Amino acid sequence: MKTSHNMDLRAWNTFGMKVSCACFVEYGTVEELEELWKMRHGMSPDGLPSPFLHIGKGSNLLFTKDFPGTVFHSDIRFISVLEGAGHQYQAGVSAAEICADLAADGKMLVEAGAGVLWDDFCLWCAERGLWGPENLSGIPGEVGAAAVQNIGAYGVEAKDIIFQVKCFDCVTGRRVAFKASECGYGYRDSMFKDSAKGRYVVTSVVFTLSSVPVPRLDYGHVKEAVNAAFETAGNHTEAGLSSMLVRNVILSIRNAKLPDPAVIGSAGSFFKNPVIPRSDYERIASVARIEHGADYEVPHYDAGSGFIKVPAAWLLDQCGLKGLVAGNAGIYEKQPLVIVNLTGNASPSEILAVEAMAVKAVYEKFGVTLHPEVEHV
Ligand code: EPU
């Protein structure tokens, strides 16, 4: 276990902002986490300053000021194929039975520690010809946070491949495991960031992966890009398609439109795509037709129950916000969903000012309130 005081968090927030915390604790095992829980509950002489915050790689966080308490980080890092023995996945059914059933369909369970870098996990899978997370390649952050945030991209969400989430319960001090169906998953949402916020710390995640190809190429231009890469690679049959090829295509699509956090600080999509009543969508569509012509169609997806999801990127773009510069912060020129630390010296208040400008502009033009995807601390 590593403990540091007055720690600079620049490397722990992908905005790359110079913020600090009073205490930073990194643990490497579930047993160490249990020890920390005892400390936190005054069962040990070493108290830790409150409040408490658990972070992953800080890729979906906006520190709005220096953090006065203790920041925890999991360094639990392992990836292993589960065979069944010694595991309990479901009451009344042996783990070996579950694994045997999955194997009959070319599937297997793989467990990854919460502190594994998400993209290292994606690479691990692709190197072994396994299918599952390839469309989620290149997303910054760690495995534990991926399960909390239900990360998503290119038609796939983490919940689609999660079998079980193993956690430490900060209320009871016990280890618990939840099936994916028990995690309250929704669009960029789960019970871990909602109804049970602060209660569970994810320690590892069990994924269902496939050794049989299960390409998911229906989002946007992914299929065309994969076909082009496929032909360049000299393969012309679906059987030759590998999860590594899909991964590489996804990485090149991302690199073309999203900033690399190692170069320009950001937290990826800053806003969620708003889900609005159909009547609001019709109003937006008529504004757009006046501006762009009678045949113009606003990009949208049916969200069911009379609701429509409109890309926040489109709303922001229509407000002319791409490439906005406000002091050291701004909006990424190629993707307006991304607020950036342009110079590397942006302060929390500069990022917040850009957020406020974007929300105001979209509300004034379309009457829609954008909500941040990024968690404000
Ligand atoms: N658009 C514009 N102008 C732009 C960019 C996009 O008008 O400059 C319009 C286009 O019509 C485009 C639509 O917005 O079709 C949607 O844009 P895009 O396909 O880029 O997807 P997105 O809705 O902007 C979402 C996720 C991303 C994820 C991509 C790909 C959210 C908030 N964002 O973006 O997630 O990578 O789909 O699946 O759901 C993240 O969460 O950090 C993230 C990057």
Side-chain angles (χ1 to χ4, degrees), residues 60 139 149 152-155 187-188 219 254 257-258 267-273 296 299 301 309 311-315 317-318 322 333-338 373:
N60 200 45
I139 296 183
Q149 166 75 355
Y154 307 103
Y187 167 59
R188 300 291 195 279
Y219 185 97
R254 287 184 69 90
K257 67 171 203 175
L258 294 169
S269 295
F270 194 94
F271 298 103
K272 291 189 192 184
N273 288 332
Y296 188 84
Y301 320 91
K309 189 189 265 189
W314 181 86
L315 295 165
D317 197 3
Q318 294 299 305
K322 261 175 158 171
E333 58 191 355
K334 295 184 201 157
Q335 170 54 283
L337 262 178
V338 183
E373 182 190 306

Side-chain angles (χ1 to χ4, degrees), residues 1 41 44 56 112 118 122 135 161 199 293 306 332 361 369:
M1 191 151 24
H41 284 76
S44 147
W118 174 258
C122 298
N135 289 31
I161 56 165
R199 174 161 185 177
Y332 194 50
T369 304

Side-chain angles (χ1 to χ4, degrees), residues 57-325:
K57 202 68 185 131
S59 55
N60 200 45
L61 275 186
L62 174 64
F63 284 101
T64 56
K65 55 183 185 314
D66 288 338
F67 189 74
T70 304
V71 172
F72 297 100
H73 178 252
S74 165
D75 197 30
I76 302 178
R77 279 188 281 140
F78 68 90
I79 303 179
S80 54
V81 177
L82 299 186
E83 308 289 351
H87 295 278
Q88 178 69 45
Y89 302 130
Q90 194 179 314
V93 188
S94 82
E97 271 176 86
I98 292 178
C99 289
D101 279 356
L102 288 170
D105 292 335
K107 297 199 172 118
M108 65 174 76
L109 297 179
V110 172
E111 181 170 3
V116 173
L117 274 180
W118 174 258
D119 195 54
D120 285 354
F121 171 67
C122 298
L123 178 62
W124 186 95
C125 296
E127 281 175 343
R128 286 156 184 81
L130 295 172
W131 293 80
E134 61 284 348
N135 289 31
L136 304 175
S137 294
I139 296 183
E142 296 172 353
V143 164
V148 170
Q149 166 75 355
N150 187 24
I151 56 171
Y154 307 103
V156 176
E157 290 181 313
K159 74 168 173 54
D160 302 336
I161 56 165
I162 288 178
F163 178 79
Q164 194 180 47
V165 182
K166 295 188 179 177
C167 302
F168 178 76
D169 183 342
C170 297
V171 171
T172 63
R174 296 212 185 94
R175 300 179 192 195
V176 279
F178 298 100
K179 286 186 279 182
S181 59
E182 296 168 331
C183 295
Y185 281 130
Y187 167 59
R188 300 291 195 279
D189 199 16
S190 75
M191 70 166 178
F192 306 115
K193 53 182 291 200
D194 193 3
S195 58
K197 190 173 161 71
R199 174 161 185 177
Y200 301 107
V201 173
V202 176
T203 51
S204 63
V205 183
V206 181
F207 296 93
T208 310
L209 303 179
S210 177
S211 51
V212 180
V214 276
R216 280 147 304 179
L217 311 178
D218 292 333
Y219 185 97
H221 301 296
V222 173
K223 190 175 273 171
E224 290 154 38
V226 165
N227 284 342
F230 207 41
E231 289 189 15
T232 308
N235 286 313
H236 298 283
T237 60
E238 274 269 305
L241 187 59
S242 67
S243 53
M244 184 62 92
L245 183 138
V246 175
R247 166 183 165 76
N248 287 335
V249 167
I250 294 288
L251 288 176
S252 57
I253 294 174
R254 287 184 69 90
N255 290 342
K257 67 171 203 175
L258 294 169
D260 177 353
V263 183
I264 303 177
S266 86
S269 295
F270 194 94
F271 298 103
K272 291 189 192 184
N273 288 332
V275 176
I276 56 176
R278 178 169 283 279
S279 53
D280 287 3
Y281 166 73
E282 299 295 354
R283 183 171 37 77
I284 291 170
S286 50
V287 172
R289 279 195 291 271
I290 292 166
E291 288 187 10
H292 301 288
D295 294 335
Y296 188 84
E297 199 184 348
V298 175
H300 65 283
Y301 320 91
D302 192 345
S305 314
F307 284 86
I308 304 286
K309 189 189 265 189
V310 179
W314 181 86
L315 295 165
L316 293 157
D317 197 3
Q318 294 299 305
C319 294
L321 290 167
K322 261 175 158 171
L324 171 100
V325 178

